[in-house]
Amino acid sequence: MSFIEIDNVWQEYGHHVVLERLSLNIAEGEFCTLVGASGCGKSTFLRLMLGQERPSRGRILLAGKALPGEPDPGRGVVFQRYSVFPHLNALDNVAIGLELPRAPVLGRLFGAKKRAAREEARQLLEKVGLGHNLDQYPAQLSGGMQQRLAIAQAFIMRPRVLLLDEPFGALDPGIRKDMHALLLTLWQETGLTVFMVTHDLAEGFNLGTRLLVFDKTRNDPQAPNAYGARVTYDIPLNADRQVARARIADIAALQPD
Amino acid sequence: MRLVNRQPERGARFLLMLLPFIVLVGVYFFGSTARLAGNPDDKLLPSASQMVAAIHHAALEEDGRSGEYILWADSAASLKRLGLGLAVAALLGLAMGTVTGVFPLARATFSPFMTALAMIPPLAVLPILFIVFGLDELSKVMLIVIGITPVLARDIEQRAREIPPEILIKAQTLGANSWTLVLRVVLPQLLSRLLLSLRLMLGSAWLFLISAEAISATAGLGYRIFLVRRYLAMDTILPYVIWITLLAWLMDFALKGANRLLFPWSEGART
Ligand SMILES: Nc1ncnc2c1ncn2[C@@H]1O[C@H](COP(=O)(O)OP(=O)(O)OP(=O)(O)O)[C@@H](O)[C@H]1O
Ligand SMILES: [Mg+2]
């Protein structure tokens, strides 16, 4: 049994078929990069994985169970924009992820618990290179720093699945490279399963352990919306990286925590 | 250089800002002097000394009948009504706007209703308020509340809906439930907006206050100017109008300052 099973999933909006006959099996710890023409349904696929929408047909299983029908802490997400809270500084943007699940009434922690949450958030921010920007609001951070913050925010939850929708689309190539290194490091350490949409084919090939190409297999020029996209190429990549990651996981398992 | 590209320099900017005020004051006293020269008993454009005397009487001398300093008593009465009305309206508007903005079920139920309510001209229901709440304080506060709450609520609802859906989804992936989502993510962003909306509604609030006071009151800035109107006492009315304007401006300034202080990250703090 695979970690994620996508079983003949369709997504339609009225008469507009966006995804059709989508079937995939994804192992835990896989880094899937998703590419495809604009408008072919990559974001739609992520919305389905996130639980923001439900498939019109078919089903998605996560660890053998039906995927929860709304977003939850088990699945993290980073969008291209609007991923961080504008009214919180960098430290609180990350610490809030530790506060919310533990404080269902007030949504915040106090005293020693709050200090502990902030300390944990600070360590993660240092790791993503924002150790000197703890007090700054997102509007004061550059685009690259905001995405680092969004990644830290997602990782503090230790999700099993991470969904990224063109997270580096608005960044310049140099900063993009740094972000790739950061993302790979975190992925190798945590062993989570990643789905990342990108328009940059090189990025897709470099980062992923599996490249999924979304495209339409049937096309009716009279009715462009009659047929949806499916995965036309499913290419395993960077096998060495996956082996290395598995080894890191083994070593981590041997070490008493 | 084209006119659209010409910027005033810093010193010039200050002078340009003062210019309309200076012109207004100049024109006024030119007219006043001319009229008073023709007829020393003319009441329409009182001189500066007449106005100073009227202010002195209102602000620094005890009133013969009530034993109060009427300017201060009037200001206190009006500001109390205004403050109470604004506070209640702000709370109601924030609560209703947030709930309809965030929860689709509440929006489906109440949003069209609020839109309909906001169409009612508040002054048209003033007689009803007088009948239901009596002629004293409550009906005046209620007029302000009824007049501005629907507008505030609709504005807040609109702002809540403008929060990108990504933000709400992100909060859920960080473990928020519906309540903590509102408490920690939506409300803080809307509070800043509320201060901005309140600033924009200050004018209406004063309008409703003065209207209510003009019709029925025993003290208040609006009451006073409508009372002395009977004696054509422009020497009192004009300083009162300036005083009301000053108060309104100070409130606007305070709300702006509060926004900047409390919500340094926000758009509202900058406008
Ligand atoms: N809620 C919706 N209602 C109707 N149509 C929708 C809805 N959401 C998406 N679509 C349609 O689904 C199609 C796929 O959209 P989607 O955003 O998934 O594309 P995408 O592959 O992410 O494109 P891009 O690369 O430009 O981000 C689009 O044609 C869009 O118009
Ligand atoms: Mg997309």
Side-chain angles (χ1 to χ4, degrees):
Chain A
M1 185 192 70
S2 332
F3 178 52
I4 294 171
E5 282 183 60
I6 295 163
D7 183 12
N8 192 27
V9 160
W10 293 61
Q11 185 66 338
E12 298 155 305
Y13 301 104
H15 292 295
H16 184 173
V17 183
V18 177
L19 297 172
E20 63 176 41
R21 293 178 294 148
L22 200 63
S23 291
L24 285 169
N25 286 303
I26 314 275
E28 179 145 34
E30 199 109 52
F31 193 134
C32 302
T33 46
L34 281 55
V35 298
S38 188
C40 74
K42 304 177 298 293
S43 299
T44 304
F45 176 73
L46 285 198
R47 284 201 298 277
L48 293 175
M49 291 304 303
L50 193 58
Q52 190 183 346
E53 289 174 11
R54 290 165 191 246
S56 320
R57 285 184 247 171
R59 55 179 194 156
I60 304 176
L61 299 182
L62 179 70
K65 289 195 210 101
L67 189 86
E70 56 182 354
D72 67 17
R75 286 160 292 164
V77 65
V78 174
F79 299 104
Q80 184 173 3
R81 300 170 61 202
Y82 305 125
S83 265
V84 293
F85 303 128
H87 63 291
L88 297 177
N89 64 25
L91 185 63
D92 284 329
N93 252 298
V94 178
I96 191 175
L98 298 169
E99 294 188 283
L100 286 172
R102 292 169 208 179
V105 179
L106 291 179
R108 52 173 85 238
L109 300 171
F110 299 95
K113 283 186 187 161
K114 178 171 190 125
R115 277 195 297 281
R118 286 198 158 165
E119 178 54 27
E120 195 178 333
R122 194 187 58 75
Q123 283 173 9
L124 184 56
L125 280 168
E126 235 147 58
K127 193 159 178 179
V128 302
L130 291 178
H132 298 293
N133 310 88
L134 302 180
D135 297 333
Q136 285 178 319
Y137 290 101
Q140 297 167 295
L141 300 174
S142 70
M145 288 157 113
Q146 287 186 28
Q147 289 310 73
R148 279 171 193 272
L149 180 58
I151 288 172
Q153 206 181 32
F155 271 92
I156 196 97
M157 305 305 290
R158 304 176 193 281
R160 291 183 78 185
V161 179
L162 180 63
L163 306 163
L164 305 147
D165 198 347
E166 302 179 39
F168 313 133
L171 306 182
D172 70 61
I175 294 179
R176 228 180 239 227
K177 264 212 155 120
D178 297 345
M179 302 295 287
H180 292 167
L182 170 67
L183 190 57
L184 280 180
T185 313
L186 291 170
W187 170 72
Q188 289 193 316
E189 286 174 9
T190 52
L192 48 51
T193 310
V194 178
F195 291 88
M196 174 168 149
V197 173
T198 175
H199 274 288
D200 179 350
L201 212 55
E203 186 174 82
F205 273 101
N206 284 336
L207 282 180
T209 59
R210 192 166 168 184
L211 181 78
L212 303 174
V213 181
F214 280 66
D215 201 0
K216 292 188 182 186
T217 48
R218 305 182 281 174
N219 213 339
D220 180 350
Q222 303 302 317
N225 292 340
Y227 299 109
R230 40 191 319 217
V231 173
T232 50
Y233 292 94
D234 183 347
I235 310 166
L237 299 166
N238 304 315
D240 52 324
R241 188 177 290 152
Q242 219 167 4
V243 172
R245 227 220 53 200
R247 209 167 285 147
I248 290 174
D250 289 344
I251 295 166
L254 288 177
Q255 282 174 343
D257 203 23
Chain B
M1 205 193 250
R2 285 184 205 95
L3 210 50
V4 286
N5 294 326
R6 289 184 58 178
Q7 302 278 352
E9 282 161 32
R10 289 181 85 219
R13 188 183 294 271
F14 185 67
L15 284 181
L16 285 175
M17 184 189 82
L18 286 183
L19 190 67
F21 292 99
I22 295 170
V23 169
L24 181 68
V25 171
V27 168
Y28 176 86
F29 285 112
F30 180 77
S32 165
T33 315
R35 280 188 75 108
L36 288 172
N39 170 14
D41 290 331
D42 182 66
K43 292 202 146 190
L44 193 63
L45 301 179
S47 69
S49 61
Q50 286 171 319
M51 283 192 275
V52 167
I55 300 170
H56 191 271
H57 174 71
L60 302 173
E61 290 169 21
E62 277 182 31
D63 184 50
R65 245 176 305 155
S66 61
E68 284 175 325
Y69 298 93
I70 49 175
L71 177 66
W72 307 122
D74 284 341
S75 303
S78 287
L79 287 177
K80 202 177 116 201
R81 292 168 188 146
L82 194 67
L84 208 59
L86 283 174
V88 172
L91 276 179
L92 281 179
L94 182 65
M96 292 196 286
T98 307
V99 168
T100 51
V102 176
F103 301 106
L105 290 176
R107 173 152 69 243
T109 316
F110 294 112
S111 197
F113 182 62
M114 289 302 299
T115 310
L117 279 191
M119 292 296 160
I120 302 174
L123 284 175
V125 296
L126 185 57
I128 305 177
L129 297 181
F130 282 143
I131 294 170
V132 175
F133 296 110
L135 288 173
D136 40 82
E137 296 307 303
L138 189 57
S139 54
K140 297 179 197 71
V141 174
M142 283 306 287
L143 180 66
I144 298 175
V145 171
I146 288 178
I148 70 176
T149 302
V151 185
L152 278 180
R154 288 212 307 166
D155 190 45
I156 295 295
E157 177 188 330
Q158 207 51 45
R159 295 310 133 185
R161 294 182 63 179
E162 277 170 17
I163 293 179
E166 286 91 340
I167 291 283
L168 304 185
I169 290 179
K170 185 82 191 206
Q172 295 174 58
T173 67
L174 295 182
N177 55 35
S178 295
W179 163 245
T180 48
L181 175 88
V182 168
L183 200 62
R184 289 227 51 198
V185 177
V186 177
L187 267 185
Q189 301 195 41
L190 293 181
L191 276 178
S192 157
R193 179 63 208 190
L194 178 70
L195 291 188
L196 188 61
S197 308
L198 271 180
R199 280 176 65 195
L200 298 176
M201 293 307 296
L202 274 183
S204 309
W206 276 101
L207 169 72
F208 296 132
L209 174 74
I210 291 174
S211 312
E213 286 181 343
I215 295 170
S216 151
T218 50
L221 297 164
Y223 160 76
R224 191 69 52 196
I225 49 182
F226 274 84
L227 180 75
V228 300
R229 176 193 61 98
R230 291 180 211 156
Y231 321 114
L232 294 179
M234 287 291 272
D235 54 348
T236 304
I237 296 178
L238 285 179
Y240 259 71
V241 170
I242 294 171
W243 174 237
I244 292 172
T245 311
L246 186 68
L247 286 176
W249 183 80
L250 281 175
M251 289 168 77
D252 182 73
F253 190 74
L255 283 172
K256 185 173 167 181
N259 213 345
R260 198 172 296 156
L261 209 68
L262 296 171
F263 312 109
W265 45 267
S266 79
E267 204 62 58
R270 269 168 260 146
T271 41

